[in-house]
Amino acid sequence: MSFTSFLLAGGFAYVVNPLVLSLVGLGCVLAAWAASGRFHPATLRKHANGRHVLVTGGSKGLGKAAAAELAQAGARVTIVARGKDVDSATGKSSLDAALEELRTLHSDPSFVRAYAVDLSDYPAVVSFVRSLRGAAGMPDWLVAAAGSATPGYLADQLPADGKREHAHDWLMSGNYTASVNIVRAVVQVAKETGAATSADAALSVVGLTPEQQALMPERIVFVGSMLSLMSFVGYSAYSASKYALQGLAEGLRSEFKPLGTKVHVYLPGNMDTPGHVIENSTKPKITAELEGASTLVTPRDAAQFMFASMLNDRYIFSNDLLGELVRVSASTSAPRPNPVFEIMATPLIAIIFSAWVAFADFSVAKYFRNKAASI
Ligand SMILES: CCCCCCCCCCCCCCCC(=O)[C@@H](N)CO
């Protein structure tokens, strides 16, 4: 064997083979991802028809789009939002407007309900769940879609005058605390049922007696973001709250499994929503430039992808192709739907992702260099 053919054989074994394997893995991962996100209205109808679904943040954006799909699928839908913002033209809050709109989509308008609740206020959330239980029963599914984004540099988001309420605090309360509160309130109201007997103690699972277990939802989906698994300039406050949500979901996925409660985390990219318009008003230019890599989707497409993936029992998923790559390369305790293909694809994704991070650091440096040069 000549030295050249030795090198070629070595090169093939060490570079081409792994590359081919990685590409095959990636192809299979992406094919499975696309298939699991394909929405079939009949499938949602089959699973959601007659179920009671509670949607937080249901007055706008993804929450409202999700509620619309559910209403069309014949679910009993309850939306919750703060409901404080009143449209000066119509005199109606976004919550009332969404309720009206959703009722037109349902074959039985009385199946759609709306409650104005500040989800960051735990006692208020508990009394809401108590009254919901009386009015419509406990939810079969819980879609925790409440949240918002106010990007900005940390140096521009310092607490003013010792005021506690600033981006790093209120994104935590609006995105994380609001979501954990609704889950805790549902569990708390479930725990108010039935006096515990000694038999219950033996049969209790993760702190709930059989009677209480029956009141737990079948599915809980937390709406995170691609920024639950990565971050960059301008998103420190937002991303922290979305990482927190992801950690919560990861713990609860394991804990609620013996109850038969399936936990999911959805990691959308950017969506064409009222919230997106607001966030763009405080978004640094460089932040917008870096996230340009993800495409804007309609909340309806995002909601459909979410339900399709949930019903395919994906635990953590993104509708964005880059989001799927980020998920596959993330090192978490999330179960993998296709472990073999994902492990095969990982080296290639890790190379692309590292290149992106280097590119992002370079872009940030260049942005501020050019900014300084422009004056
Ligand atoms: C192999 C992997 C390559 C990785 C490339 C990463 C691309 C970065 C795109 C980040 C987009 C962030 C979208 C979420 C935005 C969001 O949640 C807020 N705008 C809130 O609304």
Side-chain angles (χ1 to χ4, degrees):
M1 187 157 75
S2 74
F3 188 60
T4 330
S5 56
F6 174 75
L7 281 186
L8 280 176
F12 198 81
Y14 286 101
V15 179
V16 180
N17 279 340
L19 189 68
V20 168
L21 281 177
S22 217
L23 279 168
V24 168
L26 187 61
C28 294
V29 164
L30 293 180
W33 165 74
S36 69
R38 190 164 305 124
F39 179 71
H40 303 287
T43 308
L44 182 62
R45 169 164 289 274
K46 189 180 106 201
H47 288 93
N49 192 24
R51 292 276 197 304
H52 177 207
V53 187
L54 174 58
V55 184
T56 72
S59 70
K60 286 182 203 155
L62 176 65
K64 184 167 119 181
E69 293 301 328
L70 292 163
Q72 281 164 303
R76 292 179 292 127
V77 185
T78 300
I79 59 169
V80 190
R82 258 183 295 241
K84 287 262 162 64
D85 53 335
V86 174
D87 187 314
S88 51
T90 61
K92 253 183 252 155
S93 72
S94 57
L95 185 63
D96 292 335
L99 176 64
E100 245 174 58
E101 202 180 317
L102 292 168
R103 283 189 162 156
T104 64
L105 296 175
H106 207 296
S107 51
D108 183 344
S110 71
F111 278 13
V112 185
R113 294 180 164 76
Y115 290 79
V117 184
D118 176 358
L119 293 168
S120 64
D121 175 357
Y122 186 66
V125 183
V126 174
S127 40
F128 153 66
V129 176
R130 282 193 195 118
S131 55
L132 181 67
R133 185 182 178 186
M138 294 292 266
D140 296 305
W141 297 359
L142 171 56
V143 179
S148 65
T150 44
Y153 304 132
L154 181 142
D156 290 337
Q157 296 178 324
L158 297 173
D161 312 322
K163 245 181 85 206
R164 200 194 145 270
E165 291 288 299
H166 237 274
H168 287 77
D169 297 309
W170 54 264
L171 287 182
M172 207 64 189
S173 85
N175 294 344
Y176 170 74
T177 311
S179 296
V180 73
N181 276 354
I182 190 70
V183 175
R184 293 173 76 196
V186 165
V187 173
Q188 176 148 353
V189 173
K191 284 208 69 142
E192 288 168 358
T193 303
T197 66
S198 51
D200 280 342
L203 292 172
S204 82
V205 173
V206 297
L208 296 163
T209 66
E211 199 182 346
Q212 295 160 355
Q213 291 163 35
L215 295 168
M216 286 294 284
E218 295 163 9
R219 293 185 188 268
I220 299 173
V221 56
F222 294 102
V223 177
S225 159
M226 281 175 70
L227 295 167
S228 294
L229 295 175
M230 62 173 293
S231 198
F232 47 87
V233 57
Y235 275 129
S236 70
Y238 177 78
S239 204
S241 69
K242 292 295 189 176
Y243 266 68
L245 207 53
Q246 196 242 122
L248 171 77
E250 214 145 301
L252 292 182
R253 184 199 71 82
S254 162
E255 183 168 326
F256 287 173
K257 208 176 159 81
L259 300 172
T261 296
K262 289 175 176 162
V263 174
H264 309 266
V265 196
Y266 177 33
L267 313 173
N270 280 313
M271 270 175 280
D272 188 6
T273 58
H276 191 68
V277 176
I278 296 171
E279 81 171 64
N280 278 346
S281 66
T282 64
K283 190 177 283 173
K285 258 219 205 82
I286 181 63
T287 305
E289 199 180 305
L290 287 174
E291 75 178 351
S294 103
T295 43
L296 209 61
V297 301
T298 66
R300 179 168 178 266
D301 286 347
Q304 293 187 344
F305 195 102
M306 178 178 82
F307 286 125
S309 302
M310 270 173 64
L311 294 175
N312 278 309
D313 286 338
R314 288 263 181 156
Y315 159 64
I316 185 165
F317 53 89
S318 178
N319 60 315
D320 190 297
L321 184 127
L322 291 176
E324 170 67 354
L325 299 185
V326 171
R327 174 193 76 77
V328 171
S329 67
S331 186
T332 65
S333 51
R336 296 184 176 277
N338 302 293
V340 174
F341 293 134
E342 293 182 19
I343 291 162
M344 278 164 68
T346 294
L348 190 60
I349 300 174
I351 292 168
I352 302 170
F353 204 0
S354 312
W356 185 85
V357 173
F359 159 80
D361 286 354
F362 169 79
S363 306
V364 175
K366 192 177 94 184
Y367 174 79
F368 288 105
R369 226 181 306 118
N370 289 347
K371 187 167 159 291
S374 71
I375 49 158

